[in-house]
Every structure is written in C-alpha cells, then in structure tokens.
Amino acid sequence: MALPPTEAGQPPEVAATAAATPEQPAANMMAHIAMRGNVLGHAGDWLGEPGSNRAIEALLLAPAAEGPPHQSPAPEYQLLYKEGLRTPWTPAGQVCGSMGLGLPCIGARFRLSAETAAFFDCRYDVSFTDGTLKENLADTEMAEAPAGAAVAALRLHVTPRPGTPLIVLNDIDLRQPPAWDSSDRPDDPTIRLRLLSPAFPTRPPTIRHSERIPPGPAGAMNVSFARRVFPGRTVTLRMIEDAIVVNEGIVFDRDLNLVAGTDRLFSAAEIAEHRAAAEAGRERGLRRIAGISVLCKSKAPQNFGHFLVEMFPKAWVGSRLLSQRNPSFIVAESDVLPVVRDALAGIGINPFAVSATDNAPVRCDTLAVIDGLTHHGVYQSPLCARALAALAAPVAPAGQRKLFITRHAATRPLHHQETLAAALEAKGFTIADPARLSLREQIALFKGANVIVGPLGAALTNIAFCRPGSRVVALTAQSFPDTFFWFLAQHAGLYYEEIRGQDVSGTPDAPQSWNAGFTLDDADIAYLASL
C-alpha cells in the first residue's frame, strides 16, 4: 500500500510545506490525519495540530540518506492502538499505520538504531485530542493518550551529540507516493495495516515416557519445543474488494486470484476445486454480504479448539480495529455455532453482525483478512491469548480446584478412561465433560482450577482460561504430534506436562497410529492420583 499524494483541497498550511524554500526545508515527515488526509511537515516542527480533535492515523519519515550512520539517523517509529495493539517498529521510508479505516492511534514512540544512537539524541513531544501534552520523551518511551483521546500532533527532535555533523533527517519531496516495502510484496495494495505480534519466551514441556515417541513426531515437535524465544512477527490486515469466500475460508479476489494467507492447510487440488466453485458461483449469482466483513473461518471450523484459537482472535482484532466501520463477522455454519455466537457476544459483537455461512461461495463487498496470528502446529501469537483473556475477564472462577476432563471422541480415545476417572475422583478430582457446559461455565470451571488432567482434545483448549501457575497434565498417544496445547500453556503461564501413553495399535510408526487410541499403565494412574 502507498499513501496517495496530498490532495489539492487540503488546508493552505499543507500546501505551504510541500516544496522547499530558503526559509523552509523540504518536508521529511508526513502524517495521514482524520478529515485532512496527508499532511507534510519537518522534524522540529509540529506535524498535525496540537489539541485538535483530528487524530493521526499513519506516519511516514523520509528514508535514510546514503552515507555512514553518523550522518543519517533515520529513526524508527511505532504507533499504538486500543487494547494494546501496536504496529511493528517501522523503518524510515515506510508507512506506519493505516488510512481509510478511521483508525486513530492512541500512542506513538520513536527510536534510533544501535548504529546511530551513539551519534544522535532522539526526543519527541506528543499532543493529544483532549489537549494533553507530553513533552521531551526519551528514545523508545511510549506516549500514550489518556482514556478516550488519540494522538493529534507529533514533534520530533533528533539532534547530534557533541562532535557529530549537523545532519538530521534526509529531506525529500513527500508529495510523491512513498513505496510501502516489507517482507510482503511491496506492490501489494491490499495491505492496510501491519500489527506487531510480540516476541515471547517458552520452556520445553515435561514429558513422561518421552522415549516412546517415534523419531518423526519427536522431530516435528522439537522444532517448537527447542525454541527458547519466538521472535516478534507481523500480523497483516488486508482489505479485499469484491472478494469471494469459499468452503472453510479460502478467499479469491475479483479476478479469482488466491488471497495470501487463506490457503494454509489446503492442498493444491482443494484450492483448484474451490477456485472452480467460485467461478461457477459467480456466473450464476452468489449470496452477497454488504459493507465490510471480517473473515473468521478457517480450516476445521467445527472444532471448538480451532475456533477459539485460530478464528475467534481474528474477530477480536477486527472488532477493535474496525469498530468505526460497523463490520459483520463471517463464521462457519457448524455444530459449535451457538458457542461461536456466545464467544463473539462476550467481546461485544452484536449478534446481528454475525454472518454464518456454509461451504458454498459467498461474495463480500469488502473483506478484512487478518493473517499471521496462527500457523497450526507451528505458531500461536500472544495476541490470541490476549483475545481469550478479554473473553474470560468478566467471568468469575468456579470453586473446583482439581479437574479431570473427559473426552468421548471416536479418534484418539483414552482406553479405560472410566478407570482413571474413578481413581482421580477418589482423590478429590472433579470429573467434568465441558461438552455439556455452556461457554461461560467452561471458562469459570477452568479459571478456578489449579490442577487440570485430561486427554488432548478440543475441551482442553480451555486451559487458556487458567490462572498463571496452574498445572496441566495432558494425556495422549505416544505417536501423536502436537504443540497446540503447549503453545496455549506458554501464553497462559502454566506448568505443562505430558504423559505419552502406549498406542493400542502396537505400531506407533504407522501413519496416524494415534487414531486407534492409547492406554496408560498403573504407574501413570498412580502418579496422576498423587497430584
């Protein structure tokens, strides 16, 4: 995406800054401001109008000039939105923020690179829409608006330290559209905002009988388990005009090009099949969803756990970023739809804004596609945990302290589950089947517990609602490769342990041996009863 040139109808002071004069250097900063558009300015001067009710939505600094670091500081910058959402640190020469979304920033900060900080000092003043002013903020200090306010104006001071040449920012004519360049294709005009998914530390799980795990699953899981820190990454918000949503969330644009990020976990054959369905549907006429909608469906939407971790957070992010646009939220028709509706209502989404769709193609006027929050089995963003925490916040914890969570699915069954349940109940555990509970009851149950034991399955997703420090002992087949619940435990601050039972198939190296189920030995049952 590129911010367009400053429009001719803007206030006179904008045009006055567009070209260099002997008295005024060329603009080297630009802000996209509500009801004004692109406003040009220069470091040391106010960019925007202090105390105005017109909020800054995007920011651009001129790129670094060629030369050594002591001659061109080129600060990075970051914008803050409500609920703690923020952009990545953005290098000079790239746009930070959004336009056209009506999304004001409520905070901002700047920083110098390690190479330039030795030569320059970076400070800034920030004025807010309520008239509040924060001045002389130091490098990396977040200037956050008071409640209900937003950033109205910025003034950046980058000054050389003693002995450094007085060269501050590269002057550039920002009337020309700047390039948006990132790890995404620089020519992708659909990207309207980038958010930061923060870095997070992890620790490997404690695994009882880890020697039973076959080399293949062990290697796949250790890619994640061996990491000590997952670095920050970018979450993108794309706006696709005249989009077609097919099946479990595959998206095509008006030219039937596949939209990036919606194809994960789908095979090339499935994508080709769904593209053909989209084309055929377009010819005969499609159901239309008017206005702006947020895509909240992906692979396996009928799975409670997949919905909570991989789809619900998209609704949370979308509702926070697009609240001024009154979006609808596209979810899947499935058996868990009542839970889906309860979850969305729990974060303030109007039930009438929820559009449930089946696998048939639907046409959306403007579709918001949020990508980068999860990659099943590989990554979960801390923003997912933040969304689930928002859902759980108003729910009071129940009184049960030790839980055994039962599972009754046909695949991956724990054989002799009743025997284990009886042994644990005799030791004070509450036996619970979350499938029989409302969403609110599930949240309360897990929020009040400090020891949770149960086989891996959708119901165990509720560990995301546990208090930090709670103990989770997950039971599963020796051959089952899974990191989904471990990620949840990392974000929730839980002590996470696995017991790897023996595959009843007797051939743990066979494909999907885990589906036949597993057993625990007497020593494992005695261990669990001692918790």
Side-chain angles (χ1 to χ4, degrees), residues 13-14 17 34 52 97 131 134 182 284 298 317 341 371 374 401 410:
E13 67 269 22
V14 176
T17 62
S52 166
K134 295 186 178 181
S182 182
R284 65 174 179 267
S298 60
V317 171
R341 292 187 182 278
D371 182 40
T374 61
R401 293 292 178 260

Side-chain angles (χ1 to χ4, degrees), residues 161-225:
R161 298 186 187 278
T164 303
L166 186 57
I167 301 176
V168 180
L169 285 175
N170 184 30
D171 292 331
I172 187 172
D173 186 353
L174 291 179
R175 290 173 296 176
Q176 302 303 315
W180 180 299
D181 192 10
S182 182
S183 56
D184 301 284
R185 299 195 319 271
D187 59 342
D188 187 346
T190 66
I191 297 177
R192 303 294 290 273
L193 180 66
R194 288 176 172 82
L195 294 174
L196 173 66
S197 176
F200 60 95
T202 65
R203 68 177 189 178
T206 299
I207 301 179
R208 189 175 171 96
H209 308 308
S210 60
E211 74 283 353
R212 293 175 177 171
I213 305 174
M221 292 185 291
N222 282 335
V223 170
S224 295
F225 290 163

Side-chain angles (χ1 to χ4, degrees), residues 66-155:
E66 294 184 4
H70 68 273
Q71 293 184 347
S72 184
E76 297 179 339
Y77 31 103
Q78 184 181 60
L79 300 182
L80 176 70
Y81 304 102
K82 59 184 178 181
E83 304 277 358
L85 296 172
R86 61 188 65 197
T87 66
W89 281 104
T90 304
Q94 295 184 22
V95 178
C96 178
S98 71
M99 62 169 291
L101 300 181
L103 181 61
C105 68
I106 64 168
R109 60 177 175 171
F110 298 83
R111 73 178 182 188
L112 297 171
S113 68
E115 293 79 11
T116 60
F119 301 104
F120 295 91
D121 180 64
C122 177
R123 293 186 177 271
Y124 37 97
D125 310 320
V126 182
S127 172
F128 301 99
T129 54
D130 67 347
T132 304
L133 177 65
K134 295 186 178 181
E135 297 181 282
N136 200 33
L137 300 175
D139 185 286
T140 75
E141 185 177 354
M142 179 62 77
E144 185 171 352
V151 175
L154 300 163
R155 183 166 57 188

Side-chain angles (χ1 to χ4, degrees), residues 108-482:
R109 60 177 175 171
F110 298 83
R111 73 178 182 188
L112 297 171
S113 68
E115 293 79 11
T116 60
F119 301 104
F120 295 91
D121 180 64
C122 177
R123 293 186 177 271
Y124 37 97
D125 310 320
V126 182
S127 172
F128 301 99
T129 54
D130 67 347
T132 304
L133 177 65
K134 295 186 178 181
E135 297 181 282
N136 200 33
L137 300 175
D139 185 286
T140 75
E141 185 177 354
M142 179 62 77
E144 185 171 352
V151 175
L154 300 163
R155 183 166 57 188
L156 176 64
H157 309 276
V158 181
T159 55
R161 298 186 187 278
T164 303
L166 186 57
I167 301 176
V168 180
L169 285 175
N170 184 30
D171 292 331
I172 187 172
D173 186 353
L174 291 179
R175 290 173 296 176
Q176 302 303 315
W180 180 299
D181 192 10
S182 182
S183 56
D184 301 284
R185 299 195 319 271
D187 59 342
D188 187 346
T190 66
I191 297 177
R192 303 294 290 273
L193 180 66
R194 288 176 172 82
L195 294 174
L196 173 66
S197 176
F200 60 95
T202 65
R203 68 177 189 178
T206 299
I207 301 179
R208 189 175 171 96
H209 308 308
S210 60
E211 74 283 353
R212 293 175 177 171
I213 305 174
M221 292 185 291
N222 282 335
V223 170
S224 295
F225 290 163
R227 301 282 292 267
R228 293 297 181 267
V229 174
F230 280 75
R233 61 185 288 178
T234 299
V235 173
T236 57
L237 169 63
R238 286 181 167 87
M239 302 295 281
I240 313 299
E241 304 296 330
D242 198 17
I244 299 177
V245 180
V246 187
N247 195 260
E248 296 178 324
I250 294 179
V251 180
F252 301 97
D253 65 16
R254 59 166 58 98
D255 298 319
L256 295 181
N257 297 310
L258 181 67
V259 173
T262 68
D263 57 337
R264 293 194 185 96
L265 305 179
F266 293 95
S267 67
E270 288 175 317
I271 293 170
E273 176 187 349
H274 298 321
R275 179 181 278 111
E279 185 172 18
R282 189 172 61 177
E283 291 175 357
R284 65 174 179 267
L286 297 172
R287 171 188 171 186
R288 173 174 169 251
I289 299 178
I292 292 179
S293 49
V294 180
L295 182 67
C296 305
K297 61 187 293 191
S298 60
K299 194 75 167 179
Q302 73 284 355
N303 183 287
F304 170 77
H306 287 213
F307 166 74
L308 273 187
V309 177
E310 299 180 345
M311 299 166 229
F312 171 76
K314 295 179 181 180
W316 178 76
V317 171
S319 66
R320 273 52 188 168
L321 296 179
L322 301 173
S323 59
Q324 300 300 314
R325 307 296 297 276
N326 297 316
S328 59
F329 297 84
I330 299 176
V331 300
E333 286 276 9
S334 72
D335 292 341
V336 299
L337 185 57
V339 174
V340 169
R341 292 187 182 278
D342 286 348
L344 299 186
I347 55 170
I349 293 176
N350 190 315
F352 294 103
V354 179
S355 296
T357 66
D358 57 19
N359 288 341
V362 296
R363 182 176 179 178
C364 305
D365 286 355
T366 303
L367 182 68
V369 177
I370 297 165
D371 182 40
L373 290 171
T374 61
H375 187 172
H376 190 78
V378 177
Y379 179 80
Q380 283 179 21
S381 169
L383 298 180
C384 298
R386 196 177 298 176
L388 294 170
L391 175 62
V395 180
Q400 296 86 349
R401 293 292 178 260
K402 298 198 294 184
L403 304 178
F404 175 61
I405 305 303
T406 60
R407 184 173 183 268
H408 303 284
T411 58
R412 308 196 316 272
L414 167 58
H415 292 259
H416 312 301
Q417 179 173 255
E418 297 78 8
T419 301
L420 176 58
L424 295 183
E425 189 171 27
K427 294 296 184 179
F429 277 76
T430 297
I431 311 304
D433 181 2
R436 299 177 179 272
L437 304 176
S438 70
L439 177 61
R440 189 178 185 89
E441 289 170 334
Q442 293 180 61
I443 294 171
L445 185 67
F446 280 77
K447 201 171 180 180
N450 53 27
V451 177
I452 302 93
V453 175
L456 291 186
L460 213 60
T461 307
N462 288 296
I463 64 173
F465 305 123
C466 290
R467 293 171 295 181
S470 298
R471 184 173 189 173
V472 175
V473 184
L475 317 175
T476 192
Q478 66 192 92
S479 63
F480 186 53
D482 185 86

